[in-house]
Amino acid sequence: MATKALEARFEHLTVNDENEAPTNTSFKSKAAATGTIASLPSSHPRANLVKYALQTTNESRQNAGQITTITTTTSVPTLPPSPVRKPAQSSRASDESHEKQTVAFFDQPQAPKQFHLGMFEIGKPLGKGKFGRVYLARERSSGWICALKVLHKSELQQGKVEKQVRREIEIQSNLRHPNVLRLYGHFHDSKRVFLILEFAGKGELYKHLRKEHRFPEWKAAQYIAQMAAALKYLHSKHVMHRDIKPENILVGIHGEIKISDFGWSVHAPNNRRQTMCGTLDYLPPEMLKPGSSDNFYNEKVDLWSLGVLTYEFLVGEAPFEDTPIMTQRRIARGDMSVPSFVSAEAKDLIHRLLVLDPEKRIPLDHVLQHPWIIKHCMTKGGERGAQRASDSNRKSSEQ
Ligand SMILES: Nc1ncnc2c1ncn2[C@@H]1O[C@H](COP(=O)(O)OP(=O)(O)OP(=O)(O)O)[C@@H](O)[C@H]1O
């Protein structure tokens, strides 16, 4: 699987010059051919989602995966064929060599500080967000695979999100954790900003969840353990994400999760923040009190969202899903019930996370030690999850 994903073929690429957009993106990739991720149904299950400050992403989801052609008026030279990669011995070998290449390219002392578009071959579109598109890309000299996010400056200006993007870049580029999507660098030309991102080979977790409807407990527990490890790392760096939801989680080639979309994250050194943002279903009660003198919150908002996420993984829908007004009321009261098919241990963790008083929510260390997590990360199906979670903890504490 990993081999296939990394053997994306790059064809017919032409660019204007080093600073211009690709003119043709008619790429084929074996990753796409495997069709491991089902496309979303046209009636999007989250169509009724209401967001504060953040615009809806439904349109982007429905458009995700469509092949897009970027056209420019200038005539362009055709680039030489891309280097052919030797077939890997095994998928594991391929993954390891990919990891080594990543390290070799970006972490070597002489790694280029100045990136430009000409360094990359552009592959198939991976998806479309509100302000731009994301493409599979390959660094020419090393063959290293990444995801290139292209944002149009005019659209960022129109949407008044330049500050948000700058913050996203500043925060994400300083983060190093196996369950946090890496941002390797960025560059821009007169019209666009390009973000060089780690490629998450298995796409959006949201699509996996919609396809499976709900996850078995062992899988949900492994994902939650990885989320807890990633959040623990973020909070240790004084970063609160504030927009945790399945749409903002990607899946790596080994099935490990990667938190992405740091557009609403903030550095929270000592102070508490008061901004209203995020998806309504995932908003904690303390962020639902505009104008109130109690309208302060801290990184514990992510614990509430982790509780909502745990619920949604296991049940297939968010716990407070209702009309917008009712959702707000129910969040404010903590009014939800966990269906009887959910195990007592999982129920217990959900109840310890979805606590109205932020200070009384179970801390991330305790989440990682919770019987539900331990049970599913130590049993047969959970071994890899436990390994991943403990790897995550070890690696982040080493950094
Ligand atoms: N690093 C990546 N690896 C693989 N696929 C990616 C990667 N980044 C983004 N994608 C795909 O591209 C889509 C668009 O991503 P993007 O970050 O632009 O938008 P978004 O987060 O979905 O929406 P919004 O613009 O509202 O933040 C994602 O939904 C995902 O399917």
Side-chain angles (χ1 to χ4, degrees):
M1 179 68 68
T3 317
K4 284 180 182 158
L6 294 172
E7 275 180 359
R9 280 168 37 212
F10 292 75
E11 298 174 352
H12 312 307
L13 175 72
T14 54
V15 293
N16 284 336
D17 59 44
E18 287 184 344
N19 286 330
E20 275 305 319
T23 54
N24 186 330
T25 52
S26 59
F27 299 86
K28 288 173 191 163
S29 101
K30 287 187 183 173
T34 59
T36 49
I37 299 166
S39 57
L40 283 175
S42 56
S43 58
H44 197 283
R46 278 184 188 254
N48 64 345
L49 272 190
V50 174
K51 292 184 171 193
Y52 278 123
L54 213 58
Q55 299 288 322
T56 177
T57 56
N58 288 346
E59 189 193 343
S60 68
R61 295 198 188 296
Q62 282 159 2
N63 291 338
Q66 284 175 7
I67 298 292
T68 322
T69 304
I70 301 173
T71 51
T72 61
T73 49
T74 331
S75 67
V76 291
T78 307
L79 291 169
S82 60
V84 178
R85 303 186 71 195
K86 280 184 199 160
Q89 295 292 315
S90 67
S91 68
R92 183 68 205 151
S94 160
D95 298 340
E96 277 164 5
S97 77
H98 167 61
E99 280 157 16
K100 275 180 200 145
Q101 278 182 351
T102 305
V103 172
F105 179 63
F106 275 100
D107 295 337
Q108 60 189 329
Q110 70 274 27
K113 292 276 179 284
Q114 295 294 319
F115 300 108
H116 55 79
L117 191 57
M119 294 168 69
F120 299 93
E121 290 172 82
I122 310 297
K124 66 163 186 153
L126 295 171
K128 186 175 176 290
K130 189 167 183 301
F131 295 101
R133 290 187 162 80
V134 183
Y135 299 90
L136 188 64
R138 186 163 63 187
E139 200 278 325
R140 288 177 192 283
S141 63
S142 63
W144 179 78
I145 301 285
C146 63
L148 202 61
K149 186 164 170 174
V150 186
L151 302 161
H152 287 264
K153 288 180 178 175
S154 57
E155 290 173 18
L156 300 180
Q157 254 163 2
Q158 262 172 12
K160 296 188 170 54
V161 290
E162 295 146 289
K163 239 187 184 173
Q164 190 183 313
V165 171
R166 235 174 273 144
R167 187 173 55 199
E168 185 171 0
I169 292 172
E170 185 199 324
I171 292 179
Q172 203 174 346
S173 57
N174 285 307
L175 301 173
R176 309 269 187 282
H177 188 277
N179 299 118
V180 174
L181 193 79
R182 181 104 184 252
L183 172 61
Y184 291 102
H186 69 283
F187 55 96
H188 64 105
D189 62 17
S190 58
K191 293 190 181 133
R192 294 154 304 182
V193 179
F194 300 86
L195 306 187
I196 309 164
L197 292 162
E198 176 181 0
F199 171 53
K202 290 188 177 167
E204 280 179 65
L205 183 66
Y206 181 78
K207 287 186 186 170
H208 292 270
L209 183 58
R210 290 284 77 93
K211 190 179 166 196
E212 293 184 42
H213 178 53
R214 57 179 195 244
F215 294 138
E217 295 229 353
W218 64 267
K219 195 188 268 189
Q222 288 181 16
Y223 284 154
I224 294 302
Q226 292 171 58
M227 283 299 299
L231 287 174
K232 195 178 150 196
Y233 167 77
L234 293 180
H235 293 176
S236 77
K237 298 270 177 199
H238 308 295
V239 171
M240 47 176 161
H241 189 282
R242 305 196 303 173
D243 200 18
I244 295 294
K245 55 184 174 178
E247 292 91 326
N248 288 339
I249 301 169
L250 294 169
V251 185
I253 205 71
H254 305 300
E256 77 283 19
I257 59 171
K258 308 267 177 193
I259 301 185
S260 72
D261 210 334
F262 284 77
W264 285 110
S265 61
V266 281
H267 270 122
N270 296 310
N271 56 332
R272 291 165 168 228
R273 313 290 303 220
Q274 285 186 267
T275 322
M276 184 70 101
C277 62
T279 305
L280 188 57
D281 272 326
Y282 274 75
L283 274 186
E286 63 269 33
M287 285 172 77
L288 273 172
K289 297 177 183 167
S292 144
S293 57
D294 293 326
N295 184 26
F296 290 98
Y297 59 88
N298 56 20
E299 76 288 347
K300 304 237 170 24
V301 294
D302 290 336
L303 294 176
W304 177 276
S305 307
L306 189 64
V308 178
L309 197 68
T310 311
Y311 185 109
E312 185 164 359
F313 281 173
L314 292 168
V315 181
E317 59 188 41
F320 306 104
E321 234 173 273
D322 211 316
T323 62
I325 283 285
M326 282 310 295
T327 296
Q328 285 190 63
R329 282 191 192 149
R330 290 181 53 201
I331 290 173
R333 293 196 302 257
D335 172 13
M336 61 98 201
S337 60
V338 187
S340 55
F341 59 77
V342 174
S343 71
E345 293 106 323
K347 225 176 252 179
D348 180 77
L349 180 59
I350 291 168
H351 283 297
R352 284 174 196 272
L353 286 164
L354 295 180
V355 175
L356 291 178
D357 181 350
E359 302 307 317
K360 294 194 174 142
R361 286 173 202 151
I362 181 173
L364 290 166
D365 271 336
H366 294 200
V367 172
L368 288 163
Q369 297 300 320
H370 189 275
W372 182 62
I373 298 290
I374 299 286
K375 176 180 170 185
H376 290 290
C377 291
M378 302 313 283
T379 53
K380 197 166 177 259
E383 268 164 19
R384 289 190 68 195
Q387 189 56 46
R388 283 185 204 126
S390 68
D391 281 354
S392 297
N393 274 331
R394 182 174 44 75
K395 283 186 188 159
S396 60
S397 64
E398 284 166 7
Q399 280 156 0

